[in-house]
Amino acid sequence: MRKVAILGIGQTTVDEHWDKSLKELAGEAGLLALADANREYVQSIFIGNMLSGALSKQDNISTLISDWLDLQGSESVKVEAACGSGAAALRNGLIAIASGEVDSALVIGVEKMTESLPVETTEALATAADADYEATQGLSFVALNALIMQRYLYTYGWKHTDFAQFSINAHSNALHNPFARLHMAITEEEYIHARMIAAPINLLDASPIGDGAAAVLLVPAESLKHPSGTYVTILGSASSTDTISVHNRNDPLWLRAAEISAKKAYHQAGVNPDDIDFFELHDAFSVMSALSLEACGFTEKGQAPRLAIEGEIRPSGKIPITTRGGLKARGHPVGATGIYQIVEATQQLRGEAGLSQISDAKIGMTQNIGGSGATIITHILQKNTV
Amino acid sequence: MRKVAILGIGQTTVDEHWDKSLKELAGEAGLLALADANREYVQSIFIGNMLSGALSKQDNISTLISDWLDLQGSESVKVEAACGSGAAALRNGLIAIASGEVDSALVIGVEKMTESLPVETTEALATAADADYEATQGLSFVALNALIMQRYLYTYGWKHTDFAQFSINAHSNALHNPFARLHMAITEEEYIHARMIAAPINLLDASPIGDGAAAVLLVPAESLKHPSGTYVTILGSASSTDTISVHNRNDPLWLRAAEISAKKAYHQAGVNPDDIDFFELHDAFSVMSALSLEACGFTEKGQAPRLAIEGEIRPSGKIPITTRGGLKARGHPVGATGIYQIVEATQQLRGEAGLSQISDAKIGMTQNIGGSGATIITHILQKNTV
């Protein structure tokens, strides 16, 4: 298979974009990625999106967007894996390039969530859980994660306060990301006293939704015959599933799909957790940061809060996470999130992350989750210098 | 790239399956395909589906289905391109195998449409059109196709009656397909006097929706080291887009995406229209049969009704179409249709089509359409005899 390079990146701010539709957001990010790559044409377009049918009454958005980009005649498809749709689209675009079937792929993650009523958005998000055995029992997504966090506190003996650093770090990092939804530092005091949503999850444990789009242009690395300067390649890509319902897992505190996909990606890339310079993980809720760090081998089971408390997840720590704000503060436009992670990792590896820059970042990892750990997709990216 | 073989096929009847949910339908077809291939395990699952979120309040169905099949730990993703979702999923599974990334892919098309209110289903189907410029103007899918058919009659001077043979042929062929939704022969008299839906489209111009699932198991052809008997390989696969809105096309009677994808597939397969022994086309409405035959080079522009009137689309004709009933009589469970076409083409090439068998069929073509010609995916399949 051919090695794949990320030639261009683009993103919109994550916000309430009342003036922009789904296709306008996706188009903006797509055109920015094309401009960044100095290209005008692509052979194929892969769209990561979850909720266009439910919230914008629009399906077939891959063709809508390729039409909007004036790329009629290209190949185009939408890929959906709930909140993991972005990385799932990336992986399909990556395989299409690696196979030799296409020579360029524009992968866009896009979501439009704030124009519908909050109850509609919450109901639409619940469609990522099992409709028969979770959603219809009244389990919203925050409720599912609250049960997981409660179990984590009970099993490992941590206090809710011990998760504060996950949110504090994310908010701190987002201060330097102009595309983030929330630009406000938070304190431990604020974290402790934030409004409760579903105990023990409070407002500062949860990521905000938003409208947004992010895009990357993929090409075969071999096509960069005279690569000038720094470019980023994808060293590892893997996807795995678990049971869709949390209650069907032997251990609800172990993200088996994260372990499987991370191990596959490490193997492909020829690296281990010690080689990862930063990790853009899927912190939809603070407890998910802990579970991801543990399942991917960055710390022992039940020990992730210690990593956070000791400052090891901060930009200067052993394993910096959510370096540009993560889902918690950059925001979580669900189907777009996986591509925001790739764009941000590319910025870090190019040395374009400004005041969020992780010094000497050479290898970065991203992980995007669909459902409550049901579908997990891991990518490992590398900086290449000519 | 590696050549890809279809090792197993499975399908449910197209019907009102009140006793089966989305995952049960998909699971049934998937297990049948695995049993047909004599396999118990697959590395990856690709689901073609359009409406699970809207009509079953269930997203992330790829993981739901892999879980239901007890294949947790496998890779799984949903691919959506409106009514072209089935073939789009097939193409992504095909590329994953061809690339060497996976060695087995179960591709399942599934749709559950009859449990919701008819108005909900009609509204959900309209999300395949442009939400801003078509759907919100009151254009349902049948209305869009009615405008196209009216234009066809006006431009080329045919009468509505001249389309009768497309529907008569489809219904006649479905009589011998136990999985078809409609088992009733129709006459020209019945066609002419059928109830009007959206002039000039009447009930016998339109395909019925339905619940159903179809599945194929893909493997690298090279893995069939001791292939016994007959097996089917995929010679050509291509996908193209056009404008999403019909009114934006220079010629609303020309399926540009069909022309592009068919020409690419012919080129890959090293064949031309004369080599195609049968063609499973996307006859959602009778006029679409005509447009597909013309765009794919089986007849001149505006001449497809002549092909039908002269009997050339019948099983004994020059280019047999909808050999097992097509969308018109097998039924059109939208996201599943593209895989039903592949299953039926495989039956023909294996010589397992019973009384619908096309004699000496060696090369078959399938074409699946998303939107009103917006996304068109063409596959060419070949019979291999050891």
Side-chain angles (χ1 to χ4, degrees), chain A residues 1 21 23 46 50-51 53 56-64 66-67 71-82 88 91-92 95-96 98-102 124 126-133 237 239-245 248 256 260 264 268 370-371 374-375, chain B residues 1 21 23 46 50-51 53 56-64 66-67 71-82 88 91-92 95-96 98-102 124 126-133 237 239-245 248 256 260 264 268 370-371 374-375:
Chain A
M1 294 203 299
S21 71
K23 69 185 171 200
F46 293 79
M50 176 182 174
L51 301 170
S56 298
K57 306 297 172 206
Q58 181 72 67
D59 282 314
N60 208 14
I61 60 163
S62 57
T63 299
L64 179 84
S66 66
D67 186 13
L71 292 168
Q72 310 90 348
S74 65
E75 169 169 7
S76 183
V77 80
K78 165 173 159 173
V79 176
E80 189 265 324
R91 181 160 159 73
N92 276 265
I95 293 172
S99 72
E101 181 69 12
V102 297
T127 63
D130 188 303
D132 296 333
Y133 300 112
S237 169
S239 176
S240 177
T241 57
D242 199 342
T243 66
I244 192 159
S245 297
N248 276 338
R256 194 167 71 118
I260 295 172
K264 278 189 186 173
Q268 287 170 11
T375 317
Chain B
M1 295 206 296
S21 70
K23 69 186 170 201
F46 293 79
M50 177 182 175
L51 301 171
S56 299
K57 305 299 173 205
Q58 181 71 68
D59 282 315
N60 207 16
I61 59 162
S62 59
T63 299
L64 179 82
S66 66
D67 185 12
L71 292 167
Q72 310 89 351
S74 65
E75 168 168 9
S76 183
V77 80
K78 164 174 159 172
V79 176
E80 189 266 321
R91 182 161 158 75
N92 277 264
I95 293 172
S99 71
E101 182 70 11
V102 296
T127 63
D130 188 303
D132 296 335
Y133 300 112
S237 169
S239 176
S240 175
T241 58
D242 198 342
T243 66
I244 191 159
S245 297
N248 275 339
R256 194 166 72 118
I260 295 172
K264 278 189 186 175
Q268 287 170 12
T375 317

Side-chain angles (χ1 to χ4, degrees), chain A residues 6-225:
Chain A
I6 297 172
L7 195 62
I9 55 175
Q11 59 185 322
T12 72
T13 56
V14 178
D15 211 333
E16 295 194 16
H17 286 290
W18 291 76
D19 57 333
K20 284 179 190 141
S21 71
L22 207 56
K23 69 185 171 200
E24 289 167 317
L25 287 166
E28 186 173 320
L31 289 174
L32 286 167
L34 286 170
D36 184 48
N38 201 21
R39 298 266 181 127
E40 289 184 352
Y41 171 79
V42 283
Q43 273 182 288
S44 63
I45 299 176
F46 293 79
I47 302 294
N49 171 269
M50 176 182 174
L51 301 170
S52 71
L55 300 183
S56 298
K57 306 297 172 206
Q58 181 72 67
D59 282 314
N60 208 14
I61 60 163
S62 57
T63 299
L64 179 84
I65 293 164
S66 66
D67 186 13
W68 183 250
L69 285 169
D70 210 12
L71 292 168
Q72 310 90 348
S74 65
E75 169 169 7
S76 183
V77 80
K78 165 173 159 173
V79 176
E80 189 265 324
C83 302
S85 298
L90 183 83
R91 181 160 159 73
N92 276 265
L94 169 74
I95 293 172
I97 302 259
S99 72
E101 181 69 12
V102 297
D103 288 323
S104 57
L106 182 61
V107 187
I108 308 178
V110 61
E111 208 71 71
K112 177 91 186 145
M113 305 176 74
T114 70
E115 216 159 351
S116 36
L117 296 172
V119 64
E120 290 171 338
T121 307
T122 301
E123 276 179 13
L125 286 170
T127 63
D130 188 303
D132 296 333
Y133 300 112
E134 293 181 322
T136 51
Q137 312 306 319
L139 277 171
S140 68
F141 243 75
V142 62
L144 271 169
N145 281 274
L147 291 173
I148 294 171
M149 191 177 194
Q150 186 62 50
R151 182 80 192 180
Y152 193 98
L153 301 179
Y154 170 81
T155 303
Y156 299 125
W158 295 99
K159 296 189 303 294
H160 176 259
T161 324
D162 298 325
F163 282 80
Q165 293 303 323
F166 290 113
S167 300
I168 291 170
N169 173 59
H171 276 271
S172 166
N173 292 339
L175 289 175
H176 310 301
N177 178 3
F179 299 96
R181 176 144 198 205
L182 303 177
H183 292 110
M184 56 174 210
I186 61 166
T187 63
E188 192 165 343
E189 197 65 17
E190 286 167 329
Y191 173 80
I192 293 168
H193 296 109
R195 183 160 58 82
M196 189 58 70
I197 303 175
I201 289 180
N202 71 28
L203 192 67
L204 291 179
D205 284 305
S207 58
I209 61 160
D211 307 329
V216 294
L217 181 70
L218 303 180
V219 297
E222 68 193 24
S223 74
L224 304 173
K225 278 173 189 156

